[in-house]
């Protein structure tokens, strides 16, 4: 079996599940994973995912419609579980017959799994631990993403390599599992596929693609950065369980510490409930991310990036990135077979 056939065969389950030739999902990056990048990834044989983030149902409706105008290939929509209008957003996806919905940011709320699957969409959820992976599989989720702390944006406490070793041997036979976090080259993709992964998810590697609408200053910050510049935010108050975020070190990261203190004080004084406190934190990140991605404020904004950022050295088309990753993966499999 030649290397390309071996790669195709290892990716077959993920490709079939996603409905695309390369089982490479693009991580949903707020403000970055919009119609241009999503359609470019799907058109290049990967699987684009719209980052709904804090969008209203009307905005999501427009974004899905605009993406459909740019590609006739399958793509997904990432929804945040704590969004106050989650069920309306699910309805928008159903109205557009979106083939795959990704739920992120915690366990799916009651009724959400049924609502997504009722209209025939496939549901992908994040599993940051083996116990949660088992629970999600029992509850009817169609596929899982296991994402390690090397990733950009919201992260869990465990590294990708450890999660892969814990979860793939136990769960890969039950449902398709996509590995994410810190992946920048095809050699690593080959390794996870051989361990039983159905495919992979990459975000940072695509953030500075030619088709990404991110501001030139945002992209330049990525090109200059090394792995050690992508740091995790610090939680300052144990009563405010803020999910850490990985981003490039700058003033914006320091401002987040101040924001946490503000929100913790409001929580102390009974001015807001816990759900509202967490939403305020979410809105902080959404605003800070927009300032960096759209306005190019690389000092005050949030430069969410994974530790693979050191492998992002230039702007290149999505099709070239996917082709390179696939070539590297095939070559690695060939070397191992020799």
């Amino acid at each position: 079996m030649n290397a390309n056939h071996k790669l195709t065969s290892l990716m077959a389950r993920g490709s079939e599940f996603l409905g695309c030739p390369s089982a490479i999902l693009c991580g949903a990056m707020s403000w970055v994973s919009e119609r241009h990048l999503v359609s470019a990834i799907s058109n290049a044989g990967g699987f684009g995912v719209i980052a709904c983030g804090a969008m209203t149902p009307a905005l999501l409706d427009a974004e899905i419609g605009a993406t459909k105008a740019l590609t006739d290939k399958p793509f997904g929509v990432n929804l945040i579980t704590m969004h106050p209008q989650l069920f309306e957003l699910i309805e928008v996806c159903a109205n557009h017959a979106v083939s795959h919905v990704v739920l992120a940011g915690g366990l799916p709320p009651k009724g959400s799994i049924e609502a997504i699957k009722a209209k025939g969409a496939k549901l992908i959820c994040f599993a940051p631990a083996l116990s949660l992976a088992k629970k999600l599989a029992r509850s009817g989720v169609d596929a899982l993403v296991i994402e390690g702390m090397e990733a950009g944006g919201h992260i869990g406490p465990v590294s990708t390599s450890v999660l892969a070793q814990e979860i793939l041997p136990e769960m890969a036979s039950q449902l398709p599992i996509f590995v994410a976090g810190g992946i920048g080259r095809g050699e690593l993709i080959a390794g996870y596929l051989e361990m039983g992964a159905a495919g992979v998810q990459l975000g940072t590697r695509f953030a500075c693609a030619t088709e990404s609408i991110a501001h030139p200053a945002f992209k330049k910050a990525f090109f200059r950065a090394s792995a050690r510049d992508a740091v995790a935010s610090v939680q300052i108050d144990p009563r405010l369980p803020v999910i850490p975020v990985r981003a490039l070190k700058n003033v914006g990261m320091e401002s987040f510490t101040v924001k946490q203190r503000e929100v913790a004080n409001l929580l102390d004084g009974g001015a807001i409930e816990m759900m509202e406190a967490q939403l305020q934190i979410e809105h902080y990140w959404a605003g800070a991310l927009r300032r960096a991605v759209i306005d190019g404020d690389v000092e005050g904004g949030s430069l969410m990036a994974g530790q693979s950022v050191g492998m992002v050295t230039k702007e290149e088309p999505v099709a070239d990135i996917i082709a390179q990753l696939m070539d590297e993966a095939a070559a690695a499999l060939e070397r191992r077979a020799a």
Side-chain angles (χ1 to χ4, degrees):
M1 184 185 287
N2 78 27
N4 284 327
H5 281 146
K6 178 83 188 286
L7 180 58
T8 306
S9 146
L10 285 172
M11 269 194 173
R13 188 184 189 192
S15 297
E16 190 182 332
F17 175 78
L18 297 171
C20 61
S22 305
I24 297 176
L25 285 142
C26 179
M29 301 170 282
S30 292
W31 303 108
V32 179
S33 300
E34 49 73 73
R35 63 192 73 173
H36 297 94
L37 185 61
V38 170
S39 60
I41 286 167
S42 290
N43 286 335
F47 192 82
V49 179
I50 293 172
C52 173
M55 282 184 198
T56 60
L59 277 174
L60 180 62
D61 181 58
E63 198 58 46
I64 295 172
T67 306
K68 280 176 153 177
L70 296 172
T71 185
D72 57 1
K73 305 287 193 294
F75 62 88
V77 174
N78 179 297
L79 303 176
I80 306 294
T81 53
M82 68 171 78
H83 196 297
Q85 293 172 289
L86 177 63
F87 285 87
E88 290 158 66
L89 296 169
I90 291 170
E91 197 58 38
V92 170
C93 292
N95 292 343
H96 279 282
V98 169
S99 61
H100 297 68
V101 173
V102 183
L103 272 188
L107 282 172
K110 189 172 167 53
S112 58
I113 292 177
E114 296 77 6
I116 289 164
K117 296 186 71 168
K119 299 289 170 73
K122 292 186 169 80
L123 173 60
I124 305 170
C125 282
F126 284 81
L130 178 58
S131 57
L132 280 168
K134 288 178 174 174
K135 186 181 170 93
L136 289 165
R138 284 196 302 272
S139 65
V141 166
D142 297 298
L144 297 173
V145 175
I146 55 174
E147 181 177 69
M149 67 180 299
E150 301 94 321
H154 293 302
I155 54 170
V158 183
S159 73
T160 305
S161 61
V162 172
L163 284 178
Q165 291 172 85
E166 282 184 351
I167 296 174
L168 289 174
E170 286 229 25
M171 304 288 298
S173 59
Q174 295 178 41
L175 74 178
I177 298 177
F178 298 88
V179 179
I183 302 172
R185 290 185 58 90
E187 291 88 348
L188 192 57
I189 295 173
Y192 287 134
L193 290 171
E194 286 188 316
M195 286 177 71
V200 292
Q201 176 182 290
L202 289 81
T204 302
R205 192 74 178 77
F206 289 118
C208 299
T210 310
E211 296 88 347
S212 160
I213 62 158
H215 194 282
F218 179 91
K219 292 182 179 181
K220 269 188 192 139
F222 269 51
F223 302 151
R224 284 196 302 264
S226 67
R228 67 176 59 199
D229 296 320
V231 297
S233 60
V234 177
Q235 178 181 305
I236 63 152
D237 192 316
R239 292 156 312 138
L240 190 61
V242 177
I243 299 168
V245 166
R246 187 175 298 286
L248 300 182
K249 281 184 290 205
N250 68 355
V251 176
M253 277 295 258
E254 290 160 24
S255 309
F256 176 57
T257 307
V258 177
K259 178 65 181 177
Q260 283 186 83
R261 282 205 189 93
E262 276 174 26
V263 175
N265 288 337
L266 290 171
L267 202 57
D268 279 348
I272 54 173
E273 299 289 321
M274 181 58 78
M275 186 77 167
E276 171 61 23
Q278 289 181 310
L279 275 173
Q280 280 205 24
I281 297 291
E282 272 304 303
H283 287 143
Y284 169 85
W285 281 121
L289 192 56
R290 187 189 193 285
R291 288 198 301 279
V293 174
I294 305 298
D295 305 334
D297 177 4
V298 294
E299 273 311 312
S302 171
L303 298 161
M304 288 192 192
Q307 290 183 320
S308 60
V309 69
M311 293 172 243
V312 180
T313 55
K314 61 181 188 292
E315 193 174 68
E316 50 194 330
V318 160
D320 290 1
I321 295 170
I322 291 177
Q324 184 187 355
L325 292 168
M326 294 292 279
D327 286 348
E328 288 166 353
L333 292 169
E334 191 166 32
R335 285 195 299 275
R336 286 171 206 181

